[in-house]
Amino acid sequence: MSNNLSEHAKEVIGHWIKKYPADRKQSAVLAALREVQHENRGYLTVELMDAVADYLGMSRIAVYEVASFYSMLETRPCGRHSISVCTNVSCMLTGADEIVAHLEKKLSIRTGESTKDGRYYLKCEEECLAACCGGPMMMVDHIYHEKLTPAKVDAILDKLD
Ligand code: FES
């Protein structure tokens, strides 16, 4: 039911729909899911995915397939700020393990978990985010932070709402 979409979400989705041929509005599905996830503070619900499907005239299962395929989309409740630390070889050699340990201690959670206050989601250890020269590095809400130290991590996280 498209009633579950906010007016703002409909505006954003409409902006993307216009970029595609009139009979291809389902091409806006990724932009639509990204927007409704953002409005829902970081994750998708079945109701929201159904609303996107109905709005774009797609089958619901097709939207679930997209949502479960792309790693930037969350289909389960999680903290609103998503943190991923690269632990592949270049970052590992420059101290990624220390960064992961620091985050887990600071947030009192393990990788894969969210803080109880819903503020942080320590999503995963990434395999390589193509910023190898800047290791150790992490991505927070899709923004790269490089040459990390525990103090830098603290400063980055403490600025988030
Ligand atoms: S190894 Fe960490 S970004 Fe490539």
Side-chain angles (χ1 to χ4, degrees):
M1 302 201 301
S2 56
N3 285 344
N4 282 341
L5 297 179
S6 70
E7 287 310 310
H8 180 70
K10 288 179 194 169
E11 249 174 60
V12 171
I13 297 167
H15 165 81
W16 285 94
I17 287 173
K18 282 193 206 127
K19 294 180 184 285
Y20 303 104
D23 61 341
R24 294 281 187 274
K25 65 179 181 179
Q26 68 269 28
S27 299
V29 66
L30 263 181
L33 290 172
R34 204 176 53 213
E35 174 58 26
V36 297
Q37 174 172 277
H38 175 70
E39 286 188 8
N40 196 46
R41 310 219 78 174
Y43 66 95
L44 296 163
T45 61
V46 170
E47 291 72 25
L48 287 170
M49 289 187 279
D50 290 349
V52 166
D54 295 350
Y55 198 70
L56 295 177
M58 297 173 66
S59 70
R60 292 177 171 185
I61 188 73
V63 173
Y64 304 160
E65 284 168 353
V66 172
S68 58
F69 180 78
Y70 288 99
S71 65
M72 75 278 209
L73 298 170
E74 305 296 339
T75 54
R76 277 182 240 157
C78 58
R80 61 187 176 276
H81 297 294
S82 171
I83 305 161
S84 309
V85 182
C86 173
T87 53
N88 210 320
V89 66
S90 300
C91 289
M92 186 259 289
L93 291 172
T94 51
D97 291 347
E98 187 195 350
I99 298 301
V100 172
H102 177 71
L103 278 162
E104 290 186 338
K105 187 163 177 225
K106 176 181 173 68
L107 303 177
S108 301
I109 53 174
R110 304 299 306 268
T111 300
E113 296 175 348
S114 296
T115 55
K116 284 203 180 80
D117 62 1
R119 193 171 173 199
Y120 302 110
Y121 173 34
L122 190 50
K123 182 171 175 167
C124 63
E125 294 185 19
E126 289 284 356
E127 285 305 325
C128 179
L129 289 167
C132 312
C133 298
M137 64 83 65
M138 67 180 177
M139 185 167 65
V140 180
D141 297 336
H142 306 289
I143 295 170
Y144 280 25
H145 299 275
E146 303 180 12
K147 307 254 184 218
L148 294 172
T149 62
K152 247 174 131 172
V153 168
D154 290 349
I156 293 161
L157 296 199
D158 293 349
K159 268 193 216 131
L160 302 173
D161 65 355

PDB file of all heavy atoms in Angstrom, residues 86-92 127-132 135 137, ligand 1:
ATOM      1  N   CYS A  86      37.072  -2.668   7.452  1.00  0.00           N
ATOM      2  CA  CYS A  86      37.782  -3.572   6.550  1.00  0.00           C
ATOM      3  C   CYS A  86      38.856  -4.303   7.334  1.00  0.00           C
ATOM      4  O   CYS A  86      39.642  -3.672   8.043  1.00  0.00           O
ATOM      5  CB  CYS A  86      38.423  -2.794   5.398  1.00  0.00           C
ATOM      6  SG  CYS A  86      39.458  -3.890   4.403  1.00  0.00           S
ATOM      7  N   THR A  87      38.868  -5.637   7.212  1.00  0.00           N
ATOM      8  CA  THR A  87      39.914  -6.415   7.895  1.00  0.00           C
ATOM      9  C   THR A  87      40.707  -7.246   6.889  1.00  0.00           C
ATOM     10  O   THR A  87      41.365  -8.210   7.269  1.00  0.00           O
ATOM     11  CB  THR A  87      39.303  -7.334   8.980  1.00  0.00           C
ATOM     12  OG1 THR A  87      38.271  -8.117   8.401  1.00  0.00           O
ATOM     13  CG2 THR A  87      38.757  -6.528  10.137  1.00  0.00           C
ATOM     14  N   ASN A  88      40.626  -6.869   5.620  1.00  0.00           N
ATOM     15  CA  ASN A  88      41.423  -7.588   4.630  1.00  0.00           C
ATOM     16  C   ASN A  88      42.902  -7.219   4.795  1.00  0.00           C
ATOM     17  O   ASN A  88      43.252  -6.372   5.615  1.00  0.00           O
ATOM     18  CB  ASN A  88      40.905  -7.300   3.215  1.00  0.00           C
ATOM     19  CG  ASN A  88      41.163  -8.479   2.293  1.00  0.00           C
ATOM     20  OD1 ASN A  88      42.216  -9.103   2.344  1.00  0.00           O
ATOM     21  ND2 ASN A  88      40.204  -8.793   1.449  1.00  0.00           N
ATOM     22  N   VAL A  89      43.758  -7.810   3.976  1.00  0.00           N
ATOM     23  CA  VAL A  89      45.177  -7.849   4.316  1.00  0.00           C
ATOM     24  C   VAL A  89      45.845  -6.489   4.544  1.00  0.00           C
ATOM     25  O   VAL A  89      46.542  -6.306   5.542  1.00  0.00           O
ATOM     26  CB  VAL A  89      45.960  -8.728   3.304  1.00  0.00           C
ATOM     27  CG1 VAL A  89      45.965  -8.133   1.912  1.00  0.00           C
ATOM     28  CG2 VAL A  89      47.356  -9.001   3.808  1.00  0.00           C
ATOM     29  N   SER A  90      45.609  -5.521   3.669  1.00  0.00           N
ATOM     30  CA  SER A  90      46.295  -4.229   3.857  1.00  0.00           C
ATOM     31  C   SER A  90      45.851  -3.568   5.150  1.00  0.00           C
ATOM     32  O   SER A  90      46.662  -3.009   5.886  1.00  0.00           O
ATOM     33  CB  SER A  90      46.007  -3.287   2.683  1.00  0.00           C
ATOM     34  OG  SER A  90      46.454  -3.866   1.500  1.00  0.00           O
ATOM     35  N   CYS A  91      44.575  -3.629   5.424  1.00  0.00           N
ATOM     36  CA  CYS A  91      44.066  -3.015   6.650  1.00  0.00           C
ATOM     37  C   CYS A  91      44.472  -3.833   7.877  1.00  0.00           C
ATOM     38  O   CYS A  91      44.775  -3.272   8.935  1.00  0.00           O
ATOM     39  CB  CYS A  91      42.550  -2.855   6.563  1.00  0.00           C
ATOM     40  SG  CYS A  91      42.062  -1.560   5.394  1.00  0.00           S
ATOM     41  N   MET A  92      44.495  -5.132   7.712  1.00  0.00           N
ATOM     42  CA  MET A  92      44.916  -5.986   8.827  1.00  0.00           C
ATOM     43  C   MET A  92      46.356  -5.671   9.213  1.00  0.00           C
ATOM     44  O   MET A  92      46.687  -5.540  10.395  1.00  0.00           O
ATOM     45  CB  MET A  92      44.754  -7.454   8.400  1.00  0.00           C
ATOM     46  CG  MET A  92      45.004  -8.462   9.476  1.00  0.00           C
ATOM     47  SD  MET A  92      46.622  -9.188   9.323  1.00  0.00           S
ATOM     48  CE  MET A  92      46.441 -10.195   7.861  1.00  0.00           C
ATOM     49  N   GLU A 127      35.636  -7.241   3.329  1.00  0.00           N
ATOM     50  CA  GLU A 127      36.744  -7.950   2.683  1.00  0.00           C
ATOM     51  C   GLU A 127      37.723  -7.022   1.980  1.00  0.00           C
ATOM     52  O   GLU A 127      38.821  -7.406   1.665  1.00  0.00           O
ATOM     53  CB  GLU A 127      36.206  -8.979   1.697  1.00  0.00           C
ATOM     54  CG  GLU A 127      35.643 -10.205   2.367  1.00  0.00           C
ATOM     55  CD  GLU A 127      36.650 -10.858   3.307  1.00  0.00           C
ATOM     56  OE1 GLU A 127      37.853 -10.847   3.003  1.00  0.00           O
ATOM     57  OE2 GLU A 127      36.221 -11.353   4.364  1.00  0.00           O
ATOM     58  N   CYS A 128      37.352  -5.842   1.634  1.00  0.00           N
ATOM     59  CA  CYS A 128      38.224  -4.820   1.050  1.00  0.00           C
ATOM     60  C   CYS A 128      37.294  -3.783   0.451  1.00  0.00           C
ATOM     61  O   CYS A 128      36.436  -4.098  -0.357  1.00  0.00           O
ATOM     62  CB  CYS A 128      39.155  -5.354  -0.047  1.00  0.00           C
ATOM     63  SG  CYS A 128      40.190  -4.018  -0.738  1.00  0.00           S
ATOM     64  N   LEU A 129      37.485  -2.550   0.882  1.00  0.00           N
ATOM     65  CA  LEU A 129      36.621  -1.470   0.384  1.00  0.00           C
ATOM     66  C   LEU A 129      37.379  -0.566  -0.585  1.00  0.00           C
ATOM     67  O   LEU A 129      36.986   0.566  -0.835  1.00  0.00           O
ATOM     68  CB  LEU A 129      36.045  -0.676   1.569  1.00  0.00           C
ATOM     69  CG  LEU A 129      35.000  -1.467   2.368  1.00  0.00           C
ATOM     70  CD1 LEU A 129      34.706  -0.784   3.696  1.00  0.00           C
ATOM     71  CD2 LEU A 129      33.714  -1.664   1.589  1.00  0.00           C
ATOM     72  N   ALA A 130      38.474  -1.098  -1.113  1.00  0.00           N
ATOM     73  CA  ALA A 130      39.253  -0.404  -2.146  1.00  0.00           C
ATOM     74  C   ALA A 130      39.831   0.922  -1.654  1.00  0.00           C
ATOM     75  O   ALA A 130      39.930   1.870  -2.416  1.00  0.00           O
ATOM     76  CB  ALA A 130      38.416  -0.200  -3.408  1.00  0.00           C
ATOM     77  N   ALA A 131      40.184   0.945  -0.383  1.00  0.00           N
ATOM     78  CA  ALA A 131      40.875   2.123   0.159  1.00  0.00           C
ATOM     79  C   ALA A 131      42.130   1.630   0.862  1.00  0.00           C
ATOM     80  O   ALA A 131      42.494   2.109   1.934  1.00  0.00           O
ATOM     81  CB  ALA A 131      39.967   2.882   1.110  1.00  0.00           C
ATOM     82  N   CYS A 132      42.802   0.670   0.242  1.00  0.00           N
ATOM     83  CA  CYS A 132      43.905  -0.049   0.891  1.00  0.00           C
ATOM     84  C   CYS A 132      45.032   0.885   1.335  1.00  0.00           C
ATOM     85  O   CYS A 132      45.692   0.604   2.328  1.00  0.00           O
ATOM     86  CB  CYS A 132      44.445  -1.118  -0.050  1.00  0.00           C
ATOM     87  SG  CYS A 132      43.147  -2.116  -0.799  1.00  0.00           S
ATOM     88  N   GLY A 135      44.529   2.306   5.064  1.00  0.00           N
ATOM     89  CA  GLY A 135      44.247   1.431   6.182  1.00  0.00           C
ATOM     90  C   GLY A 135      44.903   1.860   7.479  1.00  0.00           C
ATOM     91  O   GLY A 135      45.925   2.543   7.430  1.00  0.00           O
ATOM     92  N   MET A 137      40.827   1.223   7.880  1.00  0.00           N
ATOM     93  CA  MET A 137      39.714   2.097   7.490  1.00  0.00           C
ATOM     94  C   MET A 137      38.388   1.460   7.847  1.00  0.00           C
ATOM     95  O   MET A 137      38.281   0.254   8.048  1.00  0.00           O
ATOM     96  CB  MET A 137      39.780   2.435   5.995  1.00  0.00           C
ATOM     97  CG  MET A 137      39.619   1.294   5.021  1.00  0.00           C
ATOM     98  SD  MET A 137      37.910   0.840   4.676  1.00  0.00           S
ATOM     99  CE  MET A 137      37.286   2.289   3.870  1.00  0.00           C
TER     100      MET A 137
HETATM  101  S1  FES B   1      42.377  -4.074   2.430  1.00  0.00           S
HETATM  102 FE1  FES B   1      41.193  -2.595   3.491  1.00  0.00          FE
HETATM  103  S2  FES B   1      40.474  -1.310   1.939  1.00  0.00           S
HETATM  104 FE2  FES B   1      41.571  -2.822   0.875  1.00  0.00          FE
END
